[in-house]
Amino acid sequence: LAKTTQPISMDSYEGQEVNITCSHNNIATNDYITWYQQFPSQGPRFIIQGYKTKVTNEVASLFIPADRKSSTLSLPRVSLSDTAVYYCLVQPHGSSNTGKLIFGQGTTLQVKP
Amino acid sequence: EPEVTQTPSHQVTQMGQEVILRCVPISNHLYFYWYRQILGQKVEFLVSFYNNEISEKSEIFDDQFSVERPDGSNFTLKIRSTKLEDSAMYFCASSEGGRATETQYFGPGTRLLVL
């Protein structure tokens, strides 16, 4: 599995756009990039997933450059309720792979008023 | 929106006692998982389960642990003889498909404290 590196923590203010970058230099051809969010004392929650270029949903955008060695999760106009830990996961997509998710330490985002 | 539910939300037990953590996965999901998170640490995979069999288990999931789907709705994690180091938050998750790229839906967790 590809190793991921992301900042341990980030601070932001309400209303700002937050970009969290994840490095995954040894990403494989069949790997997908997935982000999960975890609020304190809750289970992780899927945010977004992508393979290349840009993916957008109602919660976030995910930017993946052509070499796929990094990815950036973008949260538009954050609010206090976006304070959470954000995990970048690189997982293989294939019928022989199990559903085991490997979480790193994640990025703790603190949104201030 | 369908949710994964877990009971109890908190469990306090004495070292050496058996505990059973219960989960009700989302009804049309076929793949089930247990993870744990020791306070201040990362979420760790324990076991995956499909078609009434363990698909994969981690090194943490030793002989003290077992999983079962006793009926059509519940999915349980049993710890036979709890140790102090079993104190953690235990999360159940489920997904429609079994690939790692499938979205997994996590429950709210059971906080286990072993004294």
Side-chain angles (χ1 to χ4, degrees):
Chain A
L1 290 173
K3 178 178 165 55
T4 59
T5 303
Q6 49 183 127
I8 293 174
S9 64
M10 293 182 70
D11 288 343
S12 182
Y13 291 92
E14 282 192 290
Q16 288 188 331
E17 179 185 76
V18 170
N19 295 306
I20 306 174
T21 296
C22 178
S23 297
H24 27 80
N25 290 317
N26 58 338
I27 190 168
T29 304
N30 65 337
D31 285 344
Y32 278 65
I33 300 149
T34 310
W35 287 79
Y36 279 78
Q37 172 192 54
Q38 185 181 26
F39 297 114
S41 298
Q42 294 187 29
R45 184 175 76 106
F46 171 88
I47 303 175
I48 197 165
Q49 183 182 83
Y51 183 79
K52 62 180 180 181
T53 64
K54 177 184 174 182
V55 179
T56 297
N57 62 22
E58 64 277 5
V59 176
S61 294
L62 178 59
F63 298 92
I64 306 168
D67 66 6
R68 303 197 330 118
K69 293 183 184 299
S70 67
S71 58
T72 300
L73 175 73
S74 181
L75 304 172
R77 299 180 58 79
V78 294
S79 63
L80 296 176
S81 62
D82 291 316
T83 294
V85 180
Y86 292 83
Y87 299 98
C88 166
L89 287 76
V90 173
Q91 306 278 159
H93 180 76
S95 58
S96 62
N97 297 302
T98 70
K100 174 175 69 175
L101 296 181
I102 305 297
F103 289 87
Q105 294 292 345
T107 297
T108 300
L109 172 65
Q110 179 71 51
V111 180
K112 302 175 183 178
Chain B
E1 183 177 308
E3 292 180 336
V4 175
T5 59
Q6 291 185 242
T7 54
S9 58
H10 295 78
Q11 173 98 42
V12 180
T13 190
Q14 295 291 324
M15 191 170 57
Q17 295 295 305
E18 174 184 284
V19 294
I20 297 176
L21 310 183
R22 291 181 168 80
C23 168
V24 178
I26 294 173
S27 61
N28 65 329
H29 287 184
L30 300 177
Y31 295 82
F32 315 115
Y33 313 88
W34 284 100
Y35 294 82
R36 81 170 186 189
Q37 187 174 32
I38 296 170
L39 187 63
Q41 298 187 24
K42 57 187 180 181
V43 177
E44 300 174 289
F45 168 80
L46 292 178
V47 66
S48 58
F49 190 86
Y50 168 71
N51 200 26
N52 282 319
E53 288 184 349
I54 290 175
S55 306
E56 185 174 358
K57 58 184 181 180
S58 70
E59 291 179 354
I60 304 167
F61 195 89
D62 61 23
D63 292 343
Q64 295 296 320
F65 291 88
S66 63
V67 289
E68 192 179 32
R69 188 151 162 84
D71 53 43
S73 58
N74 290 285
F75 179 50
T76 62
L77 174 69
K78 181 192 290 186
I79 309 175
R80 286 192 201 27
S81 178
T82 50
K83 302 188 280 276
L84 296 176
E85 54 265 36
D86 294 327
S87 295
M89 195 78 160
Y90 288 80
F91 296 108
C92 172
S94 69
S95 62
E96 285 189 55
R99 298 176 183 180
T101 47
E102 294 275 347
T103 299
Q104 289 187 21
Y105 295 83
F106 284 75
T110 293
R111 186 174 298 280
L112 176 65
L113 178 61
V114 182
L115 302 176

